[in-house]
Amino acid sequence: MSDRVVVAGAVYDRGRLLAARRSAPEELAGRWELPGGKLEPGESPEQALVRELREELGVETEPVERVPGEWPLKPGYVLRVWTVRLLSGEPRPLEDHDALRWLGPHELDDVDWLDQDRPAVAAVAGLSAE
Ligand code: 523
């Protein structure tokens, strides 16, 4: 069986990347991630991403491009990432997170990313350095 996809957004605004601190479940709480979540039946990855970012952060966004690569999560799940443009709203930690930070290009190591998000963030940083 193929792995289930979890989508995440590298949300950029004025050159800074949004990092979100998870509030649950216990084993992930306190660690930072690129916000996102699982696809619902019938959704495209881009639709799922726009929905998740609206629910979790209260913002309208537009996926820009897929970040090349795919990163393993818990067994049966893989993470795929898109760069995302903020269209409207100021992100707030409404659901699943208890803090947000905007990281400048030299601040990407300043938060304790989830292990599985680290390679994704490195790929995002490589893309934006081009
Ligand atoms: N991750 C992860 N990194 C990351 C995301 C968005 C998700 O490691 N950037 C993991 C955490 C969970 C799984 O992927 O084990 C699903 O993410 P979650 O819980 O954010 O997905 P939701 O919001 O769809 O979850 P439900 O509450 O279960 O619907």
Side-chain angles (χ1 to χ4, degrees), residues 4-9 20 22 24-25 27-28 32-40 49 51-52 55-56 71-74 77-81 95-97 113-118 120-121:
R4 286 189 61 184
V5 173
V6 175
V7 293
R22 287 193 70 110
E27 63 273 18
L28 306 181
W32 294 75
E33 70 172 8
L34 300 173
K38 302 186 198 96
L39 268 63
E40 286 180 356
L49 188 54
R51 174 185 51 75
E52 288 282 352
E55 289 172 0
E56 295 184 355
W71 298 278
L73 299 174
K74 58 190 175 184
Y77 290 86
V78 290
L79 182 67
R80 294 186 184 170
V81 177
E95 241 180 41
D96 297 345
H97 303 110
W113 294 103
L114 288 169
D115 293 340
Q116 55 271 30
D117 279 51
R118 283 179 199 277
V121 172

Side-chain angles (χ1 to χ4, degrees), residues 1 5 15-16 51 58 62 67 74 76 81 91 93 110 112 123:
M1 241 181 64
V5 173
R16 299 163 312 157
R51 174 185 51 75
E62 177 183 45
V67 178
K74 58 190 175 184
V81 177
D110 286 7
D112 185 19

Side-chain angles (χ1 to χ4, degrees), residues 5 13 17 19 23-24 28 31 35 38-39 44 46-47 57 61 76 81-82 104 106 110 112 114 117-118 124-125:
V5 173
D13 188 39
L17 174 67
S23 51
L28 306 181
R31 308 282 300 276
K38 302 186 198 96
L39 268 63
S44 69
E46 289 89 348
Q47 286 169 336
L57 306 171
T61 57
V81 177
W82 275 254
H106 304 293
D110 286 7
D112 185 19
L114 288 169
D117 279 51
R118 283 179 199 277
V124 167

Side-chain angles (χ1 to χ4, degrees), residues 79-98:
L79 182 67
R80 294 186 184 170
V81 177
W82 275 254
T83 56
V84 167
R85 183 180 302 132
L86 199 52
L87 295 180
S88 66
E90 180 63 28
R92 287 165 295 146
L94 300 178
E95 241 180 41
D96 297 345
H97 303 110
D98 61 7

